[in-house]
Amino acid sequence: MLTERYVTVALDVPLPQCFDYLLLQGEVAVGERVVVPFGRQTLSGVVLAVHGETPQVAKLRAVESIPGDMPALPSDVIALCRFCADYYAYPIGAVFAAAIPGAFRQAQPWPGFEAAMAYVAPDVEALLAALSPRAHKQRALALQLAQPLAVEAIRAVAGDAMRWVRDWQESGLVVQTRQSAVALQCAPSASPALNDEQAAAVAAVNAAQGYSPMLLYGITGSGKTEVYLQAIAATRAAGHQALVLVPEINLTPQLEARFRARFPGEHIVSLHSGLADGERVRGWLAAGEGRAGIVLGTRLAVFTPLPRLGLVVVDEEHDPSYRQAEGFRYSARDAAVYRARLRDVPVLLGSATPSLESWRNAQEGRYRLLTLRQRAVSGAMPPKIELVPIQRARMVDGFSEYVLAAMRSTLAASGQVLVFINRRGYAPVLSCHECGWISSCKHCSAKLVLHLAERRLRCHHCGYDIRVPLACPDCGNHDLKPLGHGTQRVEAVLAELFPDANVLRIDRDSTRRRGALGEMLRQVHAGEADILVGTQMMAKGHDFPGLQLVVVLNADTGLFSVDFRAEERLFAQLLQVAGRAGRAGKPGRVLIQSMYAEHPFYHALVAGDYAEFADAQLTERRSLALPPYAAWAVLRAEAKQLASALDFLREAASLLAGYPVHVATPVPAAMARKAGWERAHAVISADARPPLQAALRLLAAHYAEAAPRGVRWALDVDPQEF
Amino acid sequence: MLTRNRVLLGGTLIELAPLRYTPAGIAVQQLVISHESQQVECGTERRVLAQVKAIAIGDKAAPLSHLVIGQQLVVKGFLAATSQRYPDRLALHIDEYELLN
């Protein structure tokens, strides 16, 4: 008797469950993909089980096709996806869809499939026997096919070579195979000598056995990257793969260059959302087939299959960009730690300003703390941070005289200056001084930002974009004035104040063109730019040896937030940007202009002691039962009317009555209106994780079945922003 | 009558700001005119001295920006507050002018 076979498939639909299909023909393994009918659509999904048990569904449909282009996801990636679906109460199919390259989410087979394959002759003698003795090139190729040969290599033999191989394949003399792991003999190029602290950190990582989480807490410029490089060299020497996560796509090319210089001949794959689909698939396959020794990537790389994973590194582990802000709101840092646990390998989290979550784990002994207190370049001193009170100071276009004098003397000594202002555009708002009108977005509770060069007003939240009005829409006054400073205005002001200096603005607008950022960074390194004006893009990771002075404008905006994480983030950001100064031996100086120079926050910052700040914050969080001392989730709702959003949240809260969780009163979001939707949220908290998870599962299941009308909702577990 | 707002003023240019442009690209020229004259008040003649802030927005702005300090001129226009916060601080918005010397 022929037993029926069934597959359980995770489909990218907004439902928490998986779906069963009948498998009529063909072979498919767990972790591969199948194309199935779903309603009137045809969808691709990942197979989570192949079984013979008749599913209890009314109308069982059959698998349409098995593309066979995606190698089976290994069990740890499947386990990681399952964990994330559960932890973040997000539909499992959507989690798998996020974990694999876009090409493998299509119903069509990946067109680049063939090029990624290799060919091999199982019996070279038989192949040779079938060839004419005078077909020298064919015979040469046949000999090479004793080992699996990639398509590129085959094409290199002769223009016609792929046609021969296809003919041989039809006669069964050659078979298609996946490219096999090539054990690369990779000797790292000479590495700089380590100081004692770095050496101790590398030794600790190398000695780690199995799952061992480590927090590398090192001040800016203390050479954390060098610790990663040497730990990875040891991992590679043992024949294992290393997964390195970085927060910003902007930082990958730079870091990649540094890795390539250190590991010449190594197959290094970089994975980030800026890659073309084909490029990403090829990198992903190289990692999954064990050909790539080092995978460098942004948060999505945490799901990359790595058969010989030996070390996980998360650089700048505190960075908010590890957290996906929309849709599947996961933390790649947390996923990386879980992945390391699944694979029983060491994981190294590095930062100058660790997240309070990781700091607590280190303090309580769950993570091993490795500390770097000195700058790596001998003689390089941590930058000196000074506050410049501006309440009563005479200001020249947003700059205090004191700051301008410091800039003049730095430039005179041919040092570079970075002016940091976390606000792009010319001015954050356009206003009419006569009647008080200000440029507001039609769709958001936000102001329209003036982009002077293009004469546009733009909403940075919804993309609403209009021409600058000729006159005030309310009173008709033509003399509308920009209010406040953005990067473009700072650039213009500095060009006027320092006519001999070369001012370079680096923000999202000036680097939109492909390759623009690389060119600008080259100019900075070559010393062609004297003054850099930059947003948070400039705060992270960059290493500019000539930079001696950092000026911070507008830091105060982060001080008075309703968000309990605001100070933690501001501290991290200011310390990061301060760390750009004085990295190459010359002393660095940091000036922070502030209206509130007496604020206790700045005292901690000037002291530059993150450990002290973090301990104080943790004490405060503990006493207020805030994360990380409580498990939090936020239920977010958006509707055309605020009342509908709030009603939905109240109803959800009533569903959770009886659960050992606390649901706070629903309130409008800090940004109450965005892109035409009124936003509100309710915080759901619990003393422990399991009851919170249970409550979230209930909500997710309930609203997947009975979708609320006219309300968009989302669960945000471990919310990072309010 | 409530909507009437017309000023005719003669005097000497004593301050001229650099020509600037609004974010929409309209030229703006701010200037100060010193006025000195004899006027009859309460039946007797008296001397009048005043310094008046004036502004020209649009096509009159650029020609005004070429004037030199000391230029005598007559301007016509309307009064408006310079900001909502200080409604008693006024500026004369020039829509016509005539050069004298």
Side-chain angles (χ1 to χ4, degrees), chain A residues 430 433-435 455 478-480, chain B residues 20 22-26 83-84:
Chain A
L430 182 66
H433 286 239
E434 290 185 20
C435 77
R455 297 231 166 106
H478 283 84
D479 195 9
L480 298 175
Chain B
R20 61 180 175 87
T22 70
I26 299 169
S83 90
Q84 55 157 10

Side-chain angles (χ1 to χ4, degrees), chain A residues 294-419:
Chain A
I294 299 172
V295 173
L296 267 179
T298 51
R299 59 173 180 257
L300 54 82
V302 74
F303 296 104
T304 311
L306 292 154
R308 291 181 286 131
L309 182 63
L311 175 67
V312 180
V313 174
V314 183
D315 188 24
E316 309 288 6
E317 65 91 31
H318 67 281
D319 198 287
S321 35
Y322 280 123
R323 175 81 188 185
Q324 180 136 310
E326 293 292 323
F328 171 31
R329 298 160 194 250
Y330 68 103
S331 155
R333 184 219 30 233
D334 297 348
V337 173
Y338 191 78
R339 178 105 192 252
R341 198 159 99 183
L342 284 169
R343 292 293 295 268
D344 201 26
V345 297
V347 53
L348 181 61
L349 309 177
S351 176
T353 52
S355 65
L356 290 184
E357 282 75 9
S358 301
W359 189 254
R360 179 194 178 197
N361 282 329
Q363 295 303 319
E364 295 179 1
R366 280 185 294 276
Y367 292 179
R368 174 155 184 204
L369 184 65
L370 309 171
T371 309
L372 307 178
R373 291 180 195 81
Q374 283 138 32
R375 285 211 155 184
V377 176
S378 71
M381 298 291 287
K384 196 170 163 299
I385 303 177
E386 266 176 78
L387 279 170
V388 182
I390 55 168
Q391 278 139 301
R392 280 179 282 279
R394 234 178 69 81
M395 303 293 283
V396 183
D397 257 318
F399 288 87
S400 85
E401 292 279 15
Y402 182 78
V403 165
L404 289 176
M407 288 179 69
R408 266 190 293 274
S409 64
T410 302
L411 292 172
S414 29
Q416 283 174 323
V417 180
L418 166 65
V419 178

Side-chain angles (χ1 to χ4, degrees), chain A residues 224-243:
Chain A
K224 290 186 286 294
T225 308
E226 192 52 46
V227 173
Y228 306 152
L229 286 168
Q230 301 212 7
I232 290 164
T235 305
R236 291 300 295 134
H240 294 137
Q241 290 172 296
L243 170 64

Side-chain angles (χ1 to χ4, degrees), chain A residues 245-299:
Chain A
L245 297 184
V246 291
E248 290 265 338
I249 168 175
N250 297 325
L251 292 179
T252 39
Q254 259 192 306
L255 201 64
E256 199 183 328
R258 200 158 158 195
F259 271 73
R260 287 200 193 285
R262 179 63 59 86
F263 300 105
E266 174 67 279
H267 191 153
I268 299 175
V269 154
S270 98
L271 291 174
H272 52 80
S273 54
L275 292 179
D277 227 15
E279 251 177 304
R280 187 179 163 204
V281 177
R282 277 187 287 279
W284 193 83
L285 289 174
E289 288 158 3
R291 284 179 285 127
I294 299 172
V295 173
L296 267 179
T298 51
R299 59 173 180 257

Side-chain angles (χ1 to χ4, degrees), chain A residues 430 433-436 450 452 455 467-470 477-482, chain B residues 20-26 28 30 55 57 80-85 93:
Chain A
L430 182 66
H433 286 239
E434 290 185 20
C435 77
L450 174 64
L452 192 61
R455 297 231 166 106
R467 271 185 62 124
V468 169
L470 282 176
N477 171 30
H478 283 84
D479 195 9
L480 298 175
K481 284 179 179 157
Chain B
R20 61 180 175 87
Y21 292 87
T22 70
I26 299 169
V28 178
Q30 284 174 292
I55 183 168
I57 301 178
T82 50
S83 90
Q84 55 157 10
R85 214 185 311 170
H93 286 242

Side-chain angles (χ1 to χ4, degrees), chain A residues 29 98 166 321 340 386 392 403 415 419 440 537 556 636 697 705:
Chain A
R166 268 188 221 110
S321 35
E386 266 176 78
R392 280 179 282 279
V403 165
V419 178
S440 302
M537 266 179 78
D556 296 337
R636 300 182 191 277
R697 256 194 299 272
E705 286 294 316

